[in-house]
């Protein structure tokens, strides 16, 4: 780490020494400083943009210029006559101070013209980045461009964050691009088609509603295309192959015009590049929002109820995928806008994991070594259609329908060697065909300047039919009927059917007192019904089926949940402060029918919330959020019949569960300083939980039977993150830290088990961004996971130095390389593992040629596996996860 800090210091010093600084103040004719004036420096030899600055609140500017060069400075401010100034720099010359006075000239307002566009401009809540100012022409896709923008980050899941806030929508020329997901845009929009990137902060797609509520966390991106990409089809076709039957086919087409757009993306490969993962499918919202969260009440239906395996870091032993997606928009007239998309994804994944699982309780300890081979296939389909009708500024109607359908299959072969149960072989098969349809209707109406109404209705239908089957060489769980099998073959199957119907509706009325304040009254309701049926049976070797008909081994449950609430909020802006206090009064009703009994509860809750924002200056603020919220579990935790969760795990719900109460606090600091090219943002979150729903487990060797209870034991979570980035000319530095602490309790064999998890992640990097010549990124990341229970403490550390290299040579060649070294260990030094990932791509493309050749080598050092650790209230697991071996691929791309 010290070495890396010395390297960083060297680059900062070297960059500073090689430049000449010019600074000063820009004023008007009476001496008032002009904030947001533009100063650009044009190199008179190359005629290129050398440096730029936007003056701060005091009119101050500072330019870093190369030595021994002549520059023309151009100073401009909207509504004022621009000014030019020629300056020459030399090694002997000291840093220079130069003030400028601009004179108002409204008659020539429209004549102000800049030959060079400013890299960054600000218009209200919109930041506009000129893409060419931050790129060098070697970028391949949108994600490569976004990584180079100040304050923008691409996460490991290919999601876009701006100043720590997740981007909720990406548009291209104002048209939605696969609404509800940013990954498809990040990985598919060609970089050479991008002219500008607009960051829309405090985003609200309904103009009538903007400013009435608090849109602080809403961020959207609008990608502006270059002129040559409009009213024409453009895109690229990529095809490639390599040894061991490796293949890649990746055509994509785009068309944009003022009235319509079409995006077609396809991807077929067996090289481990998954364009749409199983995790993406379940998290893909289609742009739909959870209406209950705004009310302070959460009723969450479970997804992935079979516990299907997830690929780690989008890697696996083998992955084959077929993907196709279509996105369209059409505006037949100014009042009507239609758009939608269709997505299909097929993925076949082969996974192998070796794990050591340690179970520690007050009664016993056990070590189990597992070898798990998994073959998973998934077919995922999504379909969405949206219509927006806006005949006038005072009325808008939105309608959306979103369908999701999938076929999921997974086969596991597990060899388990336990210090208690010995050697066992288990085969597990899982199958599910979940389906859902979600409809949304929104109406916005402005009666007059004082009175604004909005109505939202959302309907959801979900159906799942998961099947779980396990074939075991050992009879588990004495609670299940004992059936002797001559060949020690215990074949258990559980059938499950779950149907969910939800209908949510809200009516909002806004009374605008003045430009600085309004009152919001909300009336809302949520109606939910779930029907759950499960059945367990055993199949003998001769295919005889034996049903387990006991009530405790089956479920037939009907659950109804209703929430009716009234909310009142008052928003006021006074000086630099914005206050929005509020209250929501909820009347709940839920009915649970199972085992011949009916249980009713009718609680009432008053949930306060408050939002406070302090604008220190235009681009620096502090926000505080507090809200009380409550969460209601779905039928899966209420059904008291047994569920098969795994070969060594049974679960039984608790029909008497009541809702927990959370007190949530959030403090955020944000500072985007265009004048010093510095971005700082940080958040602190704290949540205190009461009457939480906790696990109560009985451990029987490696087997466990779990249930749920309401617990009065104290629990809380704390998290904090901070990110700092600053630019020094062509050098970009980034540093970030994340810390999370969770304290929780569970019941194990009748004893209370207190647990604490602490995760720390620290990352720092330095990157260059030269127009010509090599570019690199070097960095270091440390992740520490601490797990503490009443019996033991475990600490796992992963140190990761990393480097990325981009080297153009011989005019037409470019070499890209990505390197990461992982040092994984535990505090006791009983586990040590080092592994390295190195990928390299060699590109060949002549200037202005439409053809590009690429030679790729993935996992160049042939690393076989990676390590991960996990922790629960009584189990610590360390696993070795196997990944694809080294392979190379030769591909050809043609730009349309």
């Amino acid at each position: 780490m010290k070495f890396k800090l010395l390297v960083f210091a060297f680059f900062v010093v070297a960059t500073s020494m090689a430049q000449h600084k010019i600074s000063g103040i820009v004023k008007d004719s009476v001496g008032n400083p002009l904030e947001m004036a533009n100063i650009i420096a044009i190199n008179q030899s190359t005629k290129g943009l050398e440096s730029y600055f936007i003056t701060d609140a005091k009119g101050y500017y500072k330019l870093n210029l190369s030595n021994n060069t002549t520059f023309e400075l151009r100073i401009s401010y909207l509504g004022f006559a621009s000014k030019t100034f020629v300056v020459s720099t030399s090694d002997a010359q000291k840093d220079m101070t130069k003030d400028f006075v601009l004179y108002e000239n409204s008659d020539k307002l429209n004549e102000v013209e800049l030959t060079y566009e400013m890299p960054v401009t600000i218009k209200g809540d919109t930041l506009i980045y000129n893409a060419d100012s931050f790129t060098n022409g070697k970028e391949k896709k949108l994600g490569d461009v976004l990584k180079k923008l100040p304050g923008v980050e691409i996460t490991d899941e290919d999601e876009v964050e701006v100043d720590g806030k997740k981007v909720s929508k990406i548009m291209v020329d104002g048209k939605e691009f696969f609404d509800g997901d940013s990954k498809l845009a990040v990985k598919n929009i060609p970089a050479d088609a991008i002219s500008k990137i607009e960051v829309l902060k405090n985003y609200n797609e309904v103009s009538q509603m903007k400013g009435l509520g608090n849109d602080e966390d809403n961020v959207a991106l609008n990608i502006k295309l270059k002129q040559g990409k409009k009213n024409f089809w453009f895109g690229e076709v990529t095809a490639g192959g390599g040894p061991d039957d490796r293949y890649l086919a990746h055509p994509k087409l785009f068309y944009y015009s003022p009235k319509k757009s079409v995006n077609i993306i396809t991807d077929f490969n067996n090289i481990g590049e998954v364009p749409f993962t199983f995790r993406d499918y379940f998290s893909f919202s289609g742009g739909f929002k959870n209406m209950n969260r705004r009310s302070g009440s959460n009723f969450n239906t479970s997804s992935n109820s079979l516990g299907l395996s997830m690929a780690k870091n989008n890697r696996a032993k083998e992955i084959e995928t077929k993907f196709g997606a279509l996105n369209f928009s059409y505006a037949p007239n100014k009042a009507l806008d239609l758009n939608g998309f269709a997505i299909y994804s097929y993925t076949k994944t082969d996974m192998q994991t070796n794990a050591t699982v340690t179970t520690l309780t007050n009664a016993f300890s056990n070590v189990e070594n597992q070898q798990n081979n998994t073959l998973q296939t998934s077919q995922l389909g999504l379909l969405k259609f949206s219509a927006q009708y806006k005949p006038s500024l005072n009325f808008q109607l939105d309608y959306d329908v979103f369908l999701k359908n999938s076929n999921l299959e997974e086969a596991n072969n597990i060899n388990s060697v336990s210090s208690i149960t010995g050697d066992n072989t288990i085969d597990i098969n899982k199958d599910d065909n979940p389906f859902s349809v979600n409809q949304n209707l929104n109406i916005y109406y402005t009666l007059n300047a004082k009175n604004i109404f909005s109505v939202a209705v959302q309907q959801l239908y979900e159906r799942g039919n998961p099947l779980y089957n396990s074939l075991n060489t050992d009879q588990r769980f004495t609670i299940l009927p004992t059936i002797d099998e001559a060949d020690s073959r215990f074949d258990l199957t559980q059938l499950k059917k779950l149907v969910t119907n939800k209908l949510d509706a809200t009516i909002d009325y806004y009374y605008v007192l003045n430009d600085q304040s309004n009152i919001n009254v909300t009336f809302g309701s949520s109606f939910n019904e779930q029907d759950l049926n499960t059945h367990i049976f055993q199949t003998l070797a001769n295919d005889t089926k034996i049903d387990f008909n006991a009530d405790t081994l089956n479920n037939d449950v009907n659950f109804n949940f209703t929430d009716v609430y009234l909310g009142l909020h008052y928003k006021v802006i006074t000086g630099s402060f914005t206050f929005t206090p509020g209250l929501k009064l909820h009347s709940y009703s839920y009915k649970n029918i199972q085992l011949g009994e009916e249980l009713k509860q009718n609680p009432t809750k008053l949930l306060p919330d408050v939002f406070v924002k302090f604008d220190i200056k235009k681009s620096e603020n502090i926000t505080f959020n507090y809200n009380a919220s409550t969460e209601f579990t779905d039928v899966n935790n209420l059904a008291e019949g047994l569920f098969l969760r795994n070969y060594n795990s049974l679960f039984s719900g608790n029909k008497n569960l009541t809702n927990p109460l959370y007190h949530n606090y959030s403090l955020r600091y944000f500072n985007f300083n265009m004048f010093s090219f510095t971005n700082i943002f940080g958040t602190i979150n704290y949540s205190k939980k009461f009457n939480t729903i906790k696990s109560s487990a009985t451990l029987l060797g490696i087997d466990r039977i779990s249930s749920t209870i309401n617990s009065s034991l104290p629990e809380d979570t704390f998290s904090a993150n901070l990110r700092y980035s600053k630019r020094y000319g062509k050098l970009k530095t980034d540093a970030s830290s994340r810390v999370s602490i969770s304290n929780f309790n569970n019941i194990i064999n009748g004893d209370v088990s207190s647990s604490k998890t602490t995760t720390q992640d620290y990352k720092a990097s330095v990157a260059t961004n030269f127009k010509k010549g090599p570019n690199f990124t070097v960095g270091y990341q440390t992740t520490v996971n601490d797990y503490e229970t009443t019996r033991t403490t475990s600490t796992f550390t992963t140190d990761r130095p990393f480097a990325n290299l981009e080297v153009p040579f011989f005019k037409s060649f470019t070499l890209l390389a990505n390197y990461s070294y992982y040092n994984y260990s535990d505090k006791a030094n009983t586990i040590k593992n080092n592994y390295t990932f190195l990928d390299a791509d060699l590109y060949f493309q002549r200037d202005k040629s439409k053809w590009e050749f690429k030679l790729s080598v993935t996992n160049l050092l042939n690393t076989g596996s990676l390590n991960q650790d996990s922790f629960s209230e009584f189990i610590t697991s360390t696993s070795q996860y196997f990944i694809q071996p080294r392979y190379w691929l030769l591909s050809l791309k043609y730009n349309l």
Side-chain angles (χ1 to χ4, degrees):
M1 180 63 77
K2 292 182 179 179
F3 172 73
K4 290 176 176 54
L5 290 175
L6 289 174
V7 172
F8 168 70
F10 168 77
F11 278 113
V12 173
V13 172
T15 304
S16 301
M17 292 178 61
Q19 293 184 325
H20 183 90
K21 295 180 181 178
I22 299 179
S23 61
I25 305 294
V26 179
K27 308 174 185 178
D28 63 13
S29 57
V30 296
N32 296 319
L34 294 177
E35 183 181 5
M36 308 294 288
N38 297 327
I39 301 96
I40 60 176
I42 307 299
N43 188 311
Q44 294 298 283
S45 298
T46 64
K47 300 302 179 181
L49 177 64
E50 174 82 7
S51 183
Y52 73 96
F53 207 91
I54 301 174
T55 57
D56 63 13
K58 297 179 181 179
Y60 175 78
Y61 76 93
K62 180 179 69 175
L63 297 173
N64 294 316
L65 304 177
S66 302
N67 284 335
N68 302 314
T69 310
T70 299
F71 298 93
E72 180 183 83
L73 305 187
R74 300 179 183 177
I75 306 92
S76 62
Y77 188 78
L78 189 64
F80 286 71
S82 60
K83 179 172 288 189
T84 60
F85 178 77
V86 177
V87 61
S88 297
T89 60
S90 65
D91 292 331
Q93 188 179 14
K94 295 182 179 180
D95 291 344
M96 179 180 178
T97 299
K98 175 65 178 177
D99 296 338
F100 295 98
V101 177
L102 299 184
Y103 294 91
E104 190 171 358
N105 191 351
S106 57
D107 291 338
K108 295 186 178 182
L109 178 61
N110 296 323
E111 297 181 16
V112 176
E113 180 180 347
L114 292 178
T115 305
Y116 291 86
E117 291 190 79
M118 290 294 294
V120 185
T121 56
I122 299 178
K123 294 182 179 179
D125 290 331
T126 302
L127 276 175
I128 304 173
Y129 294 100
N130 182 42
D132 289 343
S133 300
F134 296 91
T135 58
N136 58 18
K138 305 301 180 184
E139 297 78 14
K140 304 300 179 183
K141 52 196 176 182
L142 173 62
D144 299 328
V145 179
L146 293 177
K147 290 176 183 178
K148 297 185 176 183
L149 303 183
V152 181
E153 182 179 10
I154 307 297
T155 68
D156 293 337
E157 292 77 31
D158 289 310
E159 293 181 337
V160 185
E161 291 185 355
V162 176
D163 302 323
K165 302 174 184 178
K166 181 180 175 180
V167 171
S168 58
K169 184 188 292 286
I170 291 185
M171 298 171 287
V172 178
D173 275 351
K175 297 175 176 60
E176 294 183 354
F177 190 92
F178 293 99
D179 191 19
D181 178 79
S182 59
K183 178 178 178 179
L184 291 176
V186 166
K187 299 183 74 68
N188 288 284
I189 296 178
D192 60 3
I194 301 170
S195 172
K196 293 180 175 58
I197 297 173
E198 298 177 344
V199 178
L200 312 174
K201 299 186 177 183
N202 302 318
Y203 177 70
N204 194 319
E205 55 190 321
V206 183
S207 58
Q208 301 153 264
M209 308 300 294
K210 188 171 179 62
L212 294 178
N214 297 310
D215 300 319
E216 298 295 319
D217 292 331
N218 297 339
V219 181
L221 297 184
N222 183 37
I223 311 302
K224 302 291 288 185
L225 298 176
K226 294 179 178 178
Q227 287 300 318
K229 302 300 182 181
K230 299 177 182 180
N231 296 310
F232 291 98
W233 285 94
F234 68 94
E236 56 192 39
V237 178
T238 304
D244 302 322
D245 297 322
R246 301 290 180 189
Y247 67 87
L248 166 68
H250 188 20
K252 49 190 177 183
L253 286 169
F254 308 93
Y255 178 84
Y256 282 87
S257 71
K259 281 194 172 185
K260 59 187 175 183
S261 68
V262 180
N263 305 286
I264 302 173
I265 302 171
T266 61
D267 197 340
F268 308 89
N269 73 80
N270 64 352
I271 60 175
E273 294 184 0
V274 184
F276 195 77
T277 67
F278 184 54
R279 183 182 289 106
D280 295 333
Y281 173 80
F282 279 106
S283 62
F284 201 101
S285 66
F288 280 68
K289 298 178 181 178
N290 187 338
M291 292 173 58
N292 290 334
R293 290 192 179 278
R294 185 171 175 266
S295 73
S297 295
N298 298 320
F299 178 74
N300 296 320
T301 57
S302 61
S303 61
N304 189 17
S305 59
L306 280 175
L308 297 176
S309 304
M310 298 286 189
K312 294 177 174 60
N313 297 338
N314 292 328
R315 298 176 183 266
K317 195 174 180 180
E318 287 291 339
I319 304 177
E320 179 182 1
T321 188
K322 301 173 183 177
F323 175 81
L326 168 68
N327 178 220
F328 80 93
S329 69
Y330 176 60
N333 54 59
K334 292 182 178 181
L336 183 61
D337 190 4
L338 309 174
N339 66 82
F341 61 76
I343 297 174
Y344 172 79
S345 176
Y346 168 86
T347 305
K348 181 179 180 181
T349 308
D350 186 4
M351 292 174 273
Q352 180 184 339
T353 304
N354 294 340
T356 298
V357 183
T358 303
T359 305
L360 292 173
T361 72
N362 293 327
F364 69 91
S365 63
N366 177 68
V367 177
E368 178 189 10
N369 293 311
Q370 296 179 359
Q371 179 176 321
N372 188 342
N373 293 287
T374 302
L375 181 62
Q376 182 186 98
T377 60
S378 63
Q379 297 184 72
L380 313 172
L382 303 94
L383 183 67
K384 183 189 177 185
F385 174 78
S386 299
Q388 182 183 99
Y389 178 63
K390 190 170 184 177
S392 68
L393 294 175
N394 295 328
F395 181 83
Q396 180 173 323
L397 184 148
D398 299 335
Y399 172 76
D400 310 276
V401 58
F402 183 39
L403 289 85
K404 300 172 73 173
N405 191 30
S406 61
N407 181 22
L408 312 171
E409 297 179 1
E410 181 175 296
N412 296 273
N413 176 261
I414 302 172
N415 181 258
S416 168
V417 180
S418 166
S419 57
I420 293 179
T421 61
D423 192 346
N424 290 282
T425 300
I426 307 102
D427 289 311
I428 298 176
N429 292 285
K430 303 174 183 179
D431 183 274
D432 197 5
N433 302 99
F435 170 80
S436 69
V437 56
N438 202 339
Q439 297 185 82
N440 188 67
L441 176 68
N442 292 283
I443 299 174
Y444 308 95
Y445 175 64
T446 301
L447 179 63
N448 50 47
K450 292 286 187 179
N451 300 277
I452 300 174
F453 299 85
S454 72
V455 178
V457 181
Q458 192 172 112
Q459 179 266 339
L460 171 67
Y461 171 82
E462 283 185 331
R463 184 193 68 234
N465 299 279
L467 179 148
Y468 176 91
N469 171 262
S470 67
L471 182 62
N472 204 328
T473 56
D474 185 22
Q475 167 99 32
R476 319 291 277 233
F477 308 114
T478 57
I479 194 171
L480 295 177
T482 301
I483 300 174
D484 294 329
E485 276 280 75
D487 58 356
S488 298
R489 180 180 183 275
F490 298 93
D491 188 346
L492 289 177
T493 301
Q494 176 179 266
L495 302 176
K496 180 179 178 181
K497 182 179 180 181
L498 175 60
V499 177
T500 300
N501 284 282
K502 294 176 89 270
L503 180 63
D504 300 327
T506 61
I507 300 174
D508 278 285
Y509 167 66
Y510 293 89
Y511 180 69
V512 181
L513 299 171
N514 50 54
D515 291 341
Q516 306 298 316
S517 61
N518 68 74
I519 296 174
N520 170 218
V521 179
T522 303
F523 175 75
S525 61
S526 178
F527 303 94
N528 307 269
E529 181 178 11
Q530 292 185 297
D531 290 293
L532 172 67
N533 292 274
T534 68
H535 178 62
I536 301 175
F537 62 87
Q538 180 169 355
T539 304
L540 302 183
N542 59 5
D543 291 332
T544 301
K545 177 181 173 183
I546 299 177
D547 293 299
F548 297 167
N549 293 317
D551 289 343
T552 56
L553 303 180
N554 295 274
N555 285 290
D556 184 5
V557 186
N558 176 263
F559 176 60
N560 287 272
F561 169 74
T562 301
D563 175 20
V564 178
Y565 61 93
L566 183 67
L568 177 65
H569 287 83
Y570 173 65
K571 178 180 179 180
V572 59
I573 300 174
T574 173
S576 298
F577 286 91
T578 301
F579 297 95
T580 311
L583 287 172
K584 297 175 289 288
L585 179 63
H586 289 261
S587 175
Y588 304 105
S589 173
Y590 44 95
K591 181 175 64 173
N592 181 350
I593 303 174
Q594 61 177 307
L595 299 175
E597 297 182 359
E598 180 178 303
L599 176 65
K600 292 183 178 181
Q601 298 187 57
N602 298 282
T604 300
K605 294 287 183 183
L606 183 64
L607 303 176
D609 62 86
V610 64
F611 171 87
V612 181
K613 178 182 177 183
F614 173 47
D615 289 307
I616 302 172
K617 51 188 179 183
K618 286 185 178 180
S619 58
E620 184 179 11
N621 60 63
I622 298 174
T623 59
F624 170 77
N625 259 307
Y626 162 77
N627 69 81
S629 64
T630 185
E631 186 171 282
F632 292 86
T633 185
D634 74 349
V635 70
N636 286 283
N637 283 327
L638 300 171
E640 295 195 332
L642 287 176
F643 294 88
L644 296 176
R645 282 197 166 174
N646 206 342
Y647 72 94
N648 61 351
S649 177
L650 290 178
F651 174 79
S652 174
N654 180 355
K655 65 181 180 182
N656 296 304
L657 291 177
T658 58
N659 58 288
L661 180 66
Y662 302 152
H663 290 282
N664 307 300
Y665 306 84
S666 175
L667 184 66
R668 182 193 297 267
Y669 172 76
F670 163 70
N671 184 352
F672 176 50
N673 193 327
M674 292 176 57
F675 319 115
S676 61
F677 310 103
T678 304
N679 292 76
I680 305 173
F681 67 83
T683 59
I684 298 175
N685 299 292
Y686 177 75
S687 180
K688 185 72 173 179
K689 305 177 183 179
F690 300 90
N691 194 39
T692 52
I693 297 176
K694 302 307 304 174
S695 170
S696 175
T698 300
L699 300 185
L700 308 168
I702 68 170
D703 301 333
R704 58 186 180 270
I705 301 176
S706 303
S707 186
T708 48
I709 61 171
N710 283 110
S711 172
S712 60
L713 298 171
E715 291 196 358
D716 58 8
T717 59
F718 170 86
S719 65
N721 71 78
L722 175 67
R723 185 180 178 190
Y724 172 87
S725 64
K726 185 174 177 64
R727 292 174 180 264
Y728 302 86
K730 299 299 182 180
L731 195 68
K732 178 185 176 184
T733 62
D734 280 285
S736 63
S737 64
R738 293 181 174 88
V739 178
S740 64
I741 303 171
S742 298
N743 296 289
F744 54 95
N745 298 275
N746 286 288
I747 312 299
I748 304 173
N749 289 345
D751 298 322
V752 176
S753 174
S754 298
S755 304
K756 178 180 180 181
T757 65
T758 303
T759 300
Q760 304 173 68
D761 184 87
Y762 306 97
K763 184 178 179 180
S765 65
V766 179
T768 63
N769 188 22
F770 296 105
K771 286 284 185 181
K772 298 181 180 180
N775 283 293
F776 66 86
T777 300
V778 294
Y780 196 88
Q781 182 177 15
T782 297
T783 304
V784 181
N785 293 314
D786 289 302
Y787 307 128
E788 299 180 28
T789 69
T790 52
R791 288 183 55 85
T792 186
T793 299
S794 300
T795 301
F796 299 92
T797 302
T798 302
D799 294 307
R800 182 177 77 98
F802 60 91
N804 303 319
L805 184 66
E806 175 192 279
V807 183
F809 61 97
F810 296 151
K811 293 186 178 180
S812 302
F813 288 89
T814 303
L815 174 66
L816 301 181
N818 299 311
Y819 170 84
S820 290
Y821 172 80
Y822 293 81
N823 181 19
Y824 176 86
S825 62
D826 67 343
K827 188 175 182 179
N829 288 322
T830 58
I831 299 174
K832 287 186 177 181
N833 192 9
N834 301 325
Y835 50 95
T836 305
F837 291 117
L838 175 61
D839 299 331
D841 300 313
L842 179 63
Y843 294 89
F844 173 78
Q845 185 176 23
R846 295 187 182 277
D847 186 33
K848 297 182 180 180
S849 172
K850 293 180 176 293
W851 295 94
E852 177 188 85
F853 298 86
K854 175 183 174 184
L855 177 63
S856 302
V857 184
T858 301
N859 194 7
L860 186 61
L861 301 179
N862 207 27
T863 299
S865 62
L866 55 87
N867 288 74
Q868 288 193 337
D869 57 84
S870 62
F871 173 83
S872 69
E873 64 272 18
F874 48 83
I875 293 178
T876 301
S877 173
T878 299
S879 62
Q880 181 186 22
Y881 181 79
F882 292 86
I883 61 173
Q884 281 183 313
R886 176 178 54 232
Y887 65 86
W888 65 266
L889 195 78
L890 180 63
S891 60
L892 174 65
K893 183 178 78 173
Y894 179 75
N895 294 315
L896 301 174

